[in-house]
Amino acid sequence: MPQTEQPNYFVIAAIVAAELYQAMVVARQIALTASNARSLAIRAGQGAAGFRAITDFIDDLASVTVNASKVINNQAVAVSRIASDTARAEFALVSFDNAFHKASGAPYLSSLDASYQRTQEYRDSLREKFDKQVVNLNSRLEELARELRTAMVLSAMSRVEASQAGGQFEQPLNVIAQKVADAAAEIQRRVKYSRQMFSHLGKGRAD
Amino acid sequence: MLTKQIFKNNSHQWLLFGRDPEKPEKIIDSNQYMVKTETKALLMDPGGIELFPSMLANVIKQVPVEQVTHLFASHQDPDIISSLGLWDQALPEAQLHAPWLWEGFIRHFGMDNIDYVAIPDEGGELQLDLVQLQFVPAHYLHASGNFHVYDPQARILMSGDIGAALEPAEAPLVVDDFQDHIRKMQMFHQRWMPSNRAKDDWIERVSKLEIDMMCPQHGRIFEGDDVKRFLDWFSTLDVGTAIPRVQSA
């Protein structure tokens, strides 16, 4: 009877889900910031025309990030569920092992074989499903990380355009540019952390 | 874990599993029972998740695992049925008979394969080959949906938490001195049982049954005259004592 393991993949997947949920909340803040920026740019008039154009990109970025975070968050929750089921199946196998050991020589010992095999197959199918989902999630995280690089460019461009607006609008437009930069950095941090966590999962599942 | 045959005739056997020396220290010791007929077996209050390996090991010393076709949970407590998620992997074709009231709760222990057979409040019956068992209502003793199992052939009542006693895991299996045993079960019944009305209803119901053995889920089995002694003692016991009585003016 092979020894089994009981990894805490479901905790890691739940952490990733929570990180992505937080990323989604921050992305929604970017959307709000873009809306404020648009109003301000309109009030600033012709001098902030360039900034007004950038707000559309900020809006797009927020929308892409919100949607991607939502999808990844849901997938991470699903992965956590699969990992929990895997842990339960692993625990059942450990318990069966233990029962085999305790019942050594029992007349009906072999009647447990079918249960063991069935649970093992179930566990293996969960693992396979888990691995596929993790690969998929990783590629989505990479994609989101690429999108977020745009945010830093947008922030730099926003600063340039804010200086063009001049006068009383320069400072509030700069604040908006900074907010976009901060929000993007926050999301990037969470995405990076999630990817690190998933790389642990990848290594853990190399068995 | 100890396995003890407590009854046998031509049609079936009653087995007790308990007094597990490997049980973690801080969990309450529990008695699990099995009725084994020619082709089937019913496992009653199969126990907590911590006991599962010992239980499974002892069960397969008695029957092939696929012969365990039925489980019974008197109520929803973890020491009764928190092992369900593991039995669910071991016995995917089995049925679990348990109070209808607790279905949504018991399923939290994990039940993807086993079939939940909800026992209605008025009780029910279960046919195992030539043996007919009765699910006897014991509501509010202590759980709000609660049943015991009565076997008219063997004249055995599996009485769940009624008759339970708190004592060391190495205690004897049968009550040998009823008067002395009272001190081991008095607090348990006064504190865990919430309702004098429910208690009286149960005593009336059970008094009509012919019982040679009353088998609780904790503590010792009552045999012969000790069954009546227990019912008499219980009838005078005030329960639900965590709430102080209001003094009438």
Side-chain angles (χ1 to χ4, degrees):
Chain A
M1 193 68 51
Q3 286 300 304
T4 54
E5 54 181 38
Q6 195 185 357
N8 60 353
Y9 301 141
F10 58 96
V11 177
I12 294 175
I15 290 170
V16 170
E19 286 296 318
L20 268 298
Y21 173 77
Q22 291 301 332
M24 187 173 68
V25 170
V26 176
R28 283 190 180 136
Q29 287 166 6
I30 295 182
L32 186 65
T33 303
S35 167
N36 291 340
R38 191 174 297 109
S39 312
L40 196 61
I42 289 168
R43 276 166 50 210
Q46 194 51 40
F51 199 103
R52 202 158 58 235
I54 289 174
T55 58
D56 289 340
F57 289 107
I58 299 176
D59 235 3
D60 287 347
L61 174 72
S63 165
V64 165
T65 310
V66 166
N67 290 335
S69 303
K70 205 183 283 178
V71 169
I72 299 171
N73 167 254
N74 287 342
Q75 282 194 343
V77 171
V79 166
S80 183
R81 173 68 197 247
I82 295 168
S84 300
D85 289 346
T86 310
R88 211 169 76 183
E90 294 278 2
F91 183 61
L93 290 171
V94 170
S95 300
F96 289 164
D97 276 340
N98 204 341
F100 266 102
H101 178 70
K102 284 171 188 272
S104 168
Y108 304 110
L109 190 61
S110 62
S111 72
L112 257 188
D113 288 346
S115 298
Y116 192 94
Q117 195 181 338
R118 196 173 42 243
T119 308
Q120 208 169 31
E121 284 167 4
Y122 174 58
R123 189 269 319 268
D124 292 346
S125 73
L126 286 169
R127 281 181 164 188
E128 200 179 318
K129 209 159 140 187
F130 179 89
D131 288 346
K132 279 183 188 158
Q133 292 266 28
V134 167
V135 168
N136 187 281
L137 268 179
N138 246 329
S139 74
R140 281 184 186 273
L141 281 170
E142 272 173 36
E143 204 178 304
L144 181 57
R146 273 197 302 273
E147 293 283 349
L148 286 167
R149 279 185 213 121
T150 318
M152 302 319 280
V153 177
L154 280 176
S155 172
M157 285 169 68
S158 301
R159 282 176 200 286
V160 173
E161 293 299 336
S163 67
Q164 299 292 316
Q168 58 173 324
F169 293 103
E170 182 174 350
Q171 203 262 339
L173 286 172
N174 263 329
V175 168
I176 285 170
Q178 187 59 46
K179 272 187 183 171
V180 172
D182 290 348
E186 166 80 9
I187 296 171
Q188 260 174 338
R189 188 180 64 73
R190 291 184 184 279
V191 169
K192 189 177 170 192
Y193 181 62
S194 298
R195 291 179 70 192
Q196 275 172 353
M197 295 301 271
F198 269 129
S199 72
H200 289 314
L201 288 184
K203 279 175 200 158
R205 292 291 309 113
D207 60 358
Chain B
M1 180 181 277
L2 176 77
T3 300
K4 168 96 176 159
Q5 178 182 286
I6 57 174
F7 173 84
K8 185 175 195 294
N9 70 3
N10 289 335
S11 59
H12 67 300
Q13 259 180 297
W14 272 74
L15 296 154
L16 174 151
F17 304 103
R19 307 296 192 264
D20 185 6
E22 293 171 35
K23 165 186 84 63
E25 192 191 345
K26 290 195 174 176
I27 65 171
I28 189 168
D29 189 51
S30 55
N31 302 326
Q32 292 68 230
Y33 298 94
M34 185 164 79
V35 169
K36 175 188 167 190
T37 62
E38 190 188 349
T39 64
K40 296 174 178 168
L42 164 72
L43 207 49
M44 286 168 271
D45 287 356
I49 201 163
E50 292 280 359
L51 289 191
F52 177 80
S54 296
M55 268 302 291
L56 181 60
N58 279 39
V59 165
I60 59 173
K61 287 175 187 168
Q62 303 300 325
V63 292
V65 74
E66 64 272 14
Q67 190 171 335
V68 182
T69 46
H70 300 269
L71 300 174
F72 164 79
S74 59
H75 60 290
Q76 83 297 356
D77 273 355
D79 63 320
I80 299 289
I81 191 66
S82 67
S83 56
L84 180 61
L86 296 169
W87 289 111
D88 190 62
Q89 308 280 336
L91 313 169
E93 307 295 326
Q95 291 186 327
L96 169 67
H97 302 263
W100 71 268
L101 191 67
W102 295 119
E103 178 169 357
F105 296 71
I106 284 176
R107 283 183 179 276
H108 274 279
F109 290 126
M111 204 178 95
D112 297 328
N113 303 305
I114 288 176
D115 186 23
Y116 194 103
V117 182
I119 307 173
D121 277 347
E122 60 272 22
E125 290 174 340
L126 175 65
Q127 189 76 36
L128 295 177
D129 293 323
L130 299 173
V131 178
Q132 190 171 61
L133 301 171
Q134 299 170 8
F135 298 131
V136 179
H139 305 311
Y140 300 103
L141 296 174
H142 65 90
S144 40
N146 210 119
F147 291 96
H148 296 161
V149 179
Y150 178 63
D151 177 349
Q153 273 191 50
R155 294 160 64 121
I156 292 176
L157 177 71
M158 198 290 272
S159 61
D161 280 321
I162 299 289
L166 298 174
E167 54 183 337
E170 61 275 14
L173 286 175
V174 177
V175 174
D176 47 7
D177 181 341
F178 185 82
Q179 283 307 317
D180 183 60
H181 196 60
I182 287 174
R183 65 188 170 85
K184 296 167 190 158
M185 55 182 183
Q186 181 159 335
M187 188 281 280
F188 186 95
H189 289 78
Q190 288 190 309
R191 186 63 183 82
W192 261 275
M193 304 301 155
S195 161
N196 284 309
R197 198 173 129 209
K199 178 196 74 171
D200 293 342
D201 177 79
W202 179 83
I203 290 171
E204 194 188 337
R205 192 188 304 275
V206 165
S207 298
K208 293 174 189 155
L209 306 174
E210 293 181 307
I211 303 170
D212 290 343
M213 265 188 271
M214 190 179 100
C215 302
Q217 196 233 344
H218 307 286
R220 307 187 197 187
I221 293 173
F222 298 80
E223 287 183 338
D225 291 342
D226 279 337
V227 176
K228 180 160 187 335
R229 284 190 191 102
F230 175 82
L231 295 178
D232 290 344
W233 168 79
F234 194 35
S235 69
T236 61
L237 189 73
D238 188 31
V239 301
T241 54
I243 308 295
R245 285 209 173 279
V246 178
Q247 298 294 324
S248 52

